[in-house]
Amino acid sequence: MGSMIDGVWHKDDADRNAADGRFVRAATSFRDTVTADGSSGFKAEPGRYHLYVSHACPWAHRTMILRALRKLEDVISVSVVDPFMSDEGWHFSDGPGCIPDTVNGTQYLREIYRLAKADFTGRVTVPALWDKREKTVVNNESAEIVRMLNTAFNAWGDGEPDFCPAPLRDEIDAINQPIYEHVNNGVYKTGFAQSQEAYEEAFDALFATLDELEARLDAQPYLAGERITEADWRLFPTLVRFDAVYVGHFKCNRNRIEDYPNLSNYLRDLYQQPGVAGTVNMTHIKRHYYESQESVNPSRIVAKGPKLDFTRPHDRARFAAAEARAAAE
């Protein structure tokens, strides 16, 4: 992947694993906030902000889902990097599904980070929210960008429903924490482990959490209850990639999501929500993981399968039917 040190790109990837072989995710670097009133120093305005994303990256995918659900396509512009990441890092191309950097005209995403901070040190990651006026990266932490998109731009997009309402925020945060640690990041800790012990530890935590989520979704349609929330949209990008990539490529092979009755129905429900299917580019997803991660897949051969159909009917309506029957009794 490479990284930048004092504004200079280094192709040799800094060690992202601890001495015991456990995968360690680097912290994000830009943490400012866009607010509706501008009290943060960055005011929400149509046409001012630009998202740099990858269709392959689950973290960037979260932001594209919120952008679609909030109907912000004409408010926040976007560039999509090529799915193949070489030792030069993310780059822009005119390939299928890609959108060049129409704002700064760069070839590599690292140039955006250097424009924001000439002596930037760290990893060059997506998503990155760019301010066209101040010519800087406002934020590259997906969890924070998601919350900005949920509320800050409601004057121009669709502000309903609120995916992180105040009465549910503590519960959503409590749900997000183990899902991030053991599922969203857990698949990476499994796939990039450099020791058997590290792999098995991450593997066991991943599937223990998926088992818990399966049980939770047997009693209610969504993670926080009767309505879709941010917690669901943070889990979805990992689930939609799981059977196609993580089962084989990352050795997360105890179960497929398809093997979980509740998780698989839940996944199809989320996929079928208006606007969501258009954010899923399985070609980019598979190409990136299989072609770019040579340490995991030295041959760079992209798996043809599995056959996936997220448009099949799901059973989540059973909860509403049960509630209606109970009310009638």
Side-chain angles (χ1 to χ4, degrees), residues 78-106:
V78 69
S79 290
V80 181
V81 296
D82 193 272
F84 178 70
M85 180 194 288
S86 70
D87 57 8
E88 297 288 349
W90 293 114
H91 72 282
F92 301 100
S93 76
D94 58 1
C98 302
I99 302 177
D101 179 11
T102 56
V103 174
N104 292 296
T106 63

Side-chain angles (χ1 to χ4, degrees), residues 141-282:
E141 171 51 60
S142 66
E144 295 174 1
I145 296 174
V146 161
R147 291 208 171 169
M148 293 177 218
L149 298 182
N150 183 52
T151 57
F153 296 87
N154 288 353
W156 302 278
D158 183 356
E160 295 295 333
D162 184 351
F163 293 113
C164 194
L168 290 178
R169 195 158 301 159
D170 288 346
E171 182 178 1
I172 290 169
D173 287 341
I175 295 168
N176 284 342
Q177 196 280 327
I179 289 177
Y180 166 78
E181 186 67 32
H182 302 308
V183 181
N184 300 143
N185 200 36
V187 293
Y188 287 88
K189 290 194 286 188
T190 304
F192 288 138
Q194 294 294 305
S195 72
Q196 188 70 33
E197 181 182 6
Y199 165 73
E200 293 187 10
E201 178 185 272
F203 181 99
D204 291 345
L206 166 64
F207 284 100
T209 306
L210 289 176
D211 291 345
E212 291 170 4
L213 295 174
E214 174 71 7
R216 187 183 191 99
L217 292 169
D218 192 49
Q220 58 193 48
Y222 305 111
L223 294 179
E226 301 301 316
R227 59 183 292 180
I228 298 175
T229 67
E230 172 196 290
D232 301 296
W233 296 127
R234 285 177 49 139
L235 176 60
F236 173 81
T238 301
L239 296 186
V240 82
R241 288 160 172 75
F242 201 92
D243 291 359
V245 175
Y246 303 143
V247 169
H249 183 64
F250 275 174
K251 305 182 186 71
C252 300
N253 58 359
R254 197 200 78 179
N255 300 90
R256 303 169 303 163
I257 298 304
E258 188 66 23
D259 298 325
Y260 289 100
N262 295 312
L263 278 167
S264 60
N265 277 281
Y266 163 82
L267 169 58
R268 294 196 299 278
D269 181 11
L270 294 179
Y271 181 89
Q272 293 169 30
Q273 295 296 316
V276 174
T279 70
V280 179
N281 188 318
M282 197 56 69

Side-chain angles (χ1 to χ4, degrees), residues 121-133:
T121 294
R123 294 192 181 281
V124 174
T125 60
V126 287
L129 183 63
W130 177 265
D131 182 346
K132 300 175 188 177
R133 178 181 300 171

